[in-house]
Amino acid sequence: MRPVSPRSTADTGLAHSEALLRPAEANRELVLGGLHLGYLLKRATRRTIGFVVGPRGLAVSAPRWVAQPQIDHAVQLKADWILRKLAEQGQRLVQLDAARIDWRDGARLPYLGEDLLIRTTGHLGLTRTVLQEPQPLTGQPRTLHLRLPAQATPEQIREAVQRWLQQQARALFEARIAHHAVAMGVQVTRLRLSSARTRWGSASSDGSVRLNWRLVHFPLDTLDYVVVHELAHLREMNHGPAFWAIVRRVMPDYEARRRVLKDGVVPVFD
């Protein structure tokens, strides 16, 4: 969930990117920046050569009439951009792999930007899930004690944690909406939790707001940005200058909070 510096991206991204440098779908290969790079060439009805770097490596779309040497030359001209994007993709894959949770007693995941330890044993007489705050003197992190037996399955642990996180998300969203809505002069008619993978929130002109429960993995400042962002849409249903002026007036440092959200990687719940 921490931002990744350009240096660490370049140094470690390509080191873990054999699949990106030589993807299975590749049908062309050349040497780029001293690296053997495979890429997928697609012929299309278009006027220019296009480049896309994604989780499966480099894909190049070229007009049917352009000769292969011209295509390879175009790839060479884009070498710096292509290698940088491949490094970023490689780092992203490393982060996503690290975000996968081993659902067992002792698992850890981020909660409000800090480490949360998951325990299924230790409090056998629990009647409900209990959150224990950090213990600085002993070094014990914030701990979530689940009302589950020691032999609980990974699925049971994952479902119990997800259920608790969603409950916390709703309570936090309601509190932050109540805090900001009055000052912004808006009213939320309905709050819904979202599980979208690519969208953190949305708002409708009828006053309803959707917020992604996975925001509870981020620091409260970051969660707050998304709340303010969606409340601002109740005033301006676009991303024009007037919209951003509202956001900036409430949250002058919104750009820094937004970067944390953009660079963050949340745990994988599957």
Side-chain angles (χ1 to χ4, degrees):
M1 291 191 41
R2 296 188 181 91
V4 179
S5 69
R7 179 174 297 277
S8 63
T9 296
D11 292 346
T12 63
L14 285 177
H16 296 83
S17 303
E18 183 65 24
L20 292 172
L21 292 173
R22 297 188 178 183
E25 297 88 347
N27 53 15
R28 292 289 186 274
E29 185 173 319
L30 78 172
V31 177
L32 197 67
L35 297 171
H36 288 274
L37 172 67
Y39 67 92
L40 174 64
L41 173 62
K42 298 181 288 185
R43 295 288 186 169
T45 305
R46 54 182 295 152
R47 302 180 64 180
T48 60
I49 300 174
F51 305 87
V52 175
V53 175
R56 296 185 177 182
L58 172 65
V60 179
S61 297
R64 302 183 191 282
W65 50 268
V66 176
Q68 186 62 46
Q70 291 176 277
I71 297 172
D72 287 343
H73 180 65
V75 173
Q76 293 288 350
L77 292 177
K78 295 281 287 187
D80 289 346
W81 180 86
I82 290 170
L83 293 176
R84 184 173 71 254
K85 291 300 180 181
L86 285 171
E88 291 172 0
Q89 283 290 335
Q91 182 63 35
R92 190 73 175 176
L93 292 175
V94 170
Q95 290 177 323
L96 289 173
D97 186 59
R100 298 190 181 278
I101 305 296
D102 181 10
W103 295 107
R104 57 175 178 78
D105 178 54
R108 293 173 184 255
L109 70 157
Y111 173 65
L112 296 181
E114 298 181 359
D115 215 20
L116 178 66
L117 176 65
I118 307 300
R119 300 307 307 265
T120 60
T121 59
H123 287 268
L124 302 181
L126 285 179
T127 58
R128 59 184 177 84
T129 297
V130 173
L131 178 66
Q132 181 182 5
E133 291 301 324
Q135 305 296 315
L137 294 179
T138 63
Q140 177 80 0
R142 180 180 283 159
T143 304
L144 186 66
H145 297 278
L146 302 175
R147 187 176 174 237
L148 289 174
Q151 64 273 22
T153 66
E155 291 75 19
Q156 289 175 315
I157 296 172
R158 183 195 66 214
E159 290 173 2
V161 171
Q162 181 170 328
R163 185 165 54 249
W164 183 85
L165 288 173
Q166 289 175 338
Q167 292 169 350
Q168 303 310 302
R170 176 171 288 279
L172 280 166
F173 294 154
E174 289 174 347
R176 301 318 294 163
I177 287 173
H179 175 77
H180 290 293
V182 174
M184 296 176 68
V186 298
Q187 183 176 3
V188 174
T189 59
R190 187 175 186 182
L191 169 65
R192 294 182 180 179
L193 295 187
S194 164
S195 298
R197 290 189 175 274
T198 59
R199 196 171 188 178
W200 293 115
S202 62
S204 301
S205 57
D206 64 0
S208 61
V209 170
R210 284 179 178 268
L211 293 169
N212 197 315
W213 67 266
R214 293 172 184 266
L215 285 165
V216 295
H217 296 302
F218 291 91
L220 186 58
D221 282 353
T222 307
L223 181 152
D224 239 12
Y225 160 70
V226 180
V227 170
V228 168
H229 184 112
E230 298 311 330
L231 293 183
H233 276 311
L234 300 182
R235 297 274 302 277
E236 293 285 338
M237 297 299 294
N238 55 64
H239 286 112
F243 168 83
W244 290 113
I246 294 171
V247 176
R248 185 176 292 106
R249 185 161 57 249
V250 178
M251 192 171 283
D253 63 341
Y254 80 88
E255 291 177 327
R257 304 187 192 208
R258 188 183 183 192
R259 281 194 296 272
V260 174
L261 188 69
K262 181 180 178 182
D263 294 334
V265 177
V266 298
V268 177
F269 277 73
D270 62 11

